[in-house]
Amino acid sequence: MVRHYYATADLDDLEQVEHELEANGITEPQIHVLSEQDGAVESHQLHEVEPVLKQDVVHSTEIGAFVGILVACAVLVIGYLLGLTEGPGGWVPLVFLAIVLLGFCTWEGGFIGIQVPNVNFKRFQGLLHRGRHVFFVDVEQEQEGLLSRVIMSHPRLHAVGTGEATPGWVVHSQDNFKRFMKFMP
């Protein structure tokens, strides 16, 4: 899948684009609007980006966990090389310290990430600050033509790039879950 980004200031036009895409088979989990005007996006019933995903929590937590693994391994190796494992406690204190440091680094990564914009959306900060909205669609190769046709009929949308999309299996899982919930009693 490929993610296509478009910018506009017209939420009414975006609402029409979403309806056209959904009417032609592009599903809700494939469509999102990134905006600093959450109330306006919600009033137009557009599929907005979840607030937690606007921040870099997931990416920074992953980096923190990676750093934590390196620190934990370093503690274990240094403890072994210094002979600290031969004492009465053996490996227990070192393993405990390694686990605590891994948890702390992971937490700290997430804490830092909640304070900065998502790494995938940083390039759009200027547009967002000027009151524009970023509309993005994750499409499979066979949906590219459909997306192009719909976008061409909306001249207020301006292409602002492409990027890595949500994995197809995640989108299909979200679709299946939504269908399941719709038919549940």
Side-chain angles (χ1 to χ4, degrees):
M1 293 186 92
V2 176
R3 178 169 287 173
H4 294 271
Y5 294 96
Y6 302 93
T8 186
D10 188 352
L11 288 176
D12 293 326
D13 194 33
L14 277 186
E15 191 173 354
Q16 184 62 36
V17 171
E18 275 199 18
H19 290 304
E20 289 177 29
L21 290 173
E22 288 176 351
N24 286 292
I26 295 192
T27 62
E28 186 178 319
Q30 292 176 265
I31 303 169
H32 300 284
V33 176
L34 177 65
S35 177
E36 290 183 344
Q37 302 169 18
D38 294 336
V41 171
E42 188 176 336
S43 71
H44 281 81
Q45 299 177 343
L46 297 167
H47 306 116
E48 63 184 313
V49 175
E50 295 296 325
V52 72
L53 297 178
K54 290 181 180 181
Q55 305 309 118
D56 203 34
V57 177
V58 175
H59 178 252
S60 294
T61 301
E62 289 172 346
I63 291 172
F66 179 73
V67 170
I69 290 170
L70 294 178
V71 169
C73 289
V75 164
L76 295 174
V77 168
I78 291 170
Y80 174 74
L81 293 175
L82 293 176
L84 299 176
T85 59
E86 297 171 11
W91 282 95
V92 173
L94 287 176
V95 170
F96 182 72
L97 178 60
I99 291 170
V100 168
L101 290 172
L102 170 63
F104 176 77
C105 291
T106 303
W107 171 81
E108 186 65 25
F111 184 69
I112 291 169
I114 205 162
Q115 300 174 48
V116 296
N118 187 310
V119 69
N120 296 316
F121 302 145
K122 275 186 182 178
R123 61 183 164 165
F124 303 121
Q125 291 304 303
L127 288 169
L128 296 172
H129 292 320
R130 290 193 309 268
R132 309 275 305 216
H133 313 282
V134 177
F135 177 74
F136 57 95
V137 185
D138 297 338
V139 292
E140 297 188 31
Q141 189 172 5
E142 60 269 9
Q143 296 173 317
E144 293 275 348
L146 165 66
L147 177 63
S148 295
R149 283 191 304 278
V150 171
I151 296 300
M152 288 177 108
S153 66
H154 296 274
R156 291 186 186 130
L157 280 177
H158 302 285
V160 290
T162 59
E164 187 176 328
T166 302
W169 67 269
V170 173
V171 171
H172 296 303
S173 297
Q174 290 173 332
D175 286 336
N176 290 335
F177 179 73
K178 194 166 260 196
R179 236 180 276 123
F180 174 75
M181 294 306 289
K182 184 178 179 179
F183 292 112
M184 284 298 296

